[in-house]
Amino acid sequence: MPVEGPLRLPRRAAVGLAIALVGVLATACLGGLAPPPLRRGMVRERTVTIRVEGTPGLPFEGSYGTPTATRPVQGRVPAAYTVTTAVAVTAAFTKANAEGELVVRLLLDGHEVARRATRHPYGTVTLLYQVMR
């Protein structure tokens, strides 16, 4: 039997077909725009120097590292530590005395990128710096 005129699908079938076509087109068109997965070595690691300064000889304690792994330390001003990371650096230091000033500086490629200080008795300095921007 010959069919005359346009082919007509039931409304429900037409909507289902349209949704399927949009999904296929979106996958085909946008598939090339997704970034590749990150692998070790793809993101540049940076070395950040943490300088603990202020009143010479001032005792302190604290920790430094990355947001997922820190190392506890005790020392006296001045002191310096390094962290190599592709993400972020965290540092928290507390004065072990009431007197004196504690200054913590973060240097990236020799340039100061963050600085905090305290003169409060037994004061704490906390820094978080995002390396990957």
Side-chain angles (χ1 to χ4, degrees):
M1 170 158 65
V3 177
E4 293 184 23
L7 177 63
R8 299 213 185 256
L9 294 173
R11 181 173 170 86
R12 180 174 257 167
V15 169
L17 181 60
I19 291 172
L21 284 173
V22 167
V24 168
L25 287 173
T27 301
C29 293
L30 297 177
L33 297 179
L38 291 177
R39 291 187 302 272
R40 186 165 181 80
M42 289 181 72
V43 177
R44 181 176 162 206
E45 288 191 327
R46 311 285 296 271
T47 299
V48 177
T49 301
I50 302 164
R51 293 194 186 252
V52 184
E53 302 172 341
T55 304
L58 176 71
F60 64 85
E61 58 184 42
S63 63
Y64 71 94
T66 65
T68 58
T70 60
R71 166 179 284 172
V73 294
Q74 292 182 338
R76 291 187 177 272
V77 170
Y81 308 97
T82 59
V83 177
T84 301
T85 181
V87 181
V89 172
T90 182
F93 296 95
T94 301
K95 292 171 39 180
N97 286 345
E99 288 79 32
E101 180 181 30
L102 182 68
V103 179
V104 180
R105 299 172 52 215
L106 301 183
L107 293 103
L108 179 65
D109 298 330
H111 301 286
E112 185 176 283
V113 293
R115 175 191 188 106
R116 297 280 185 273
T118 184
R119 287 185 173 272
H120 292 290
Y122 305 98
T124 299
V125 173
T126 303
L127 287 169
L128 175 63
Y129 178 74
Q130 185 178 345
V131 174
M132 189 172 91
R133 293 182 179 240

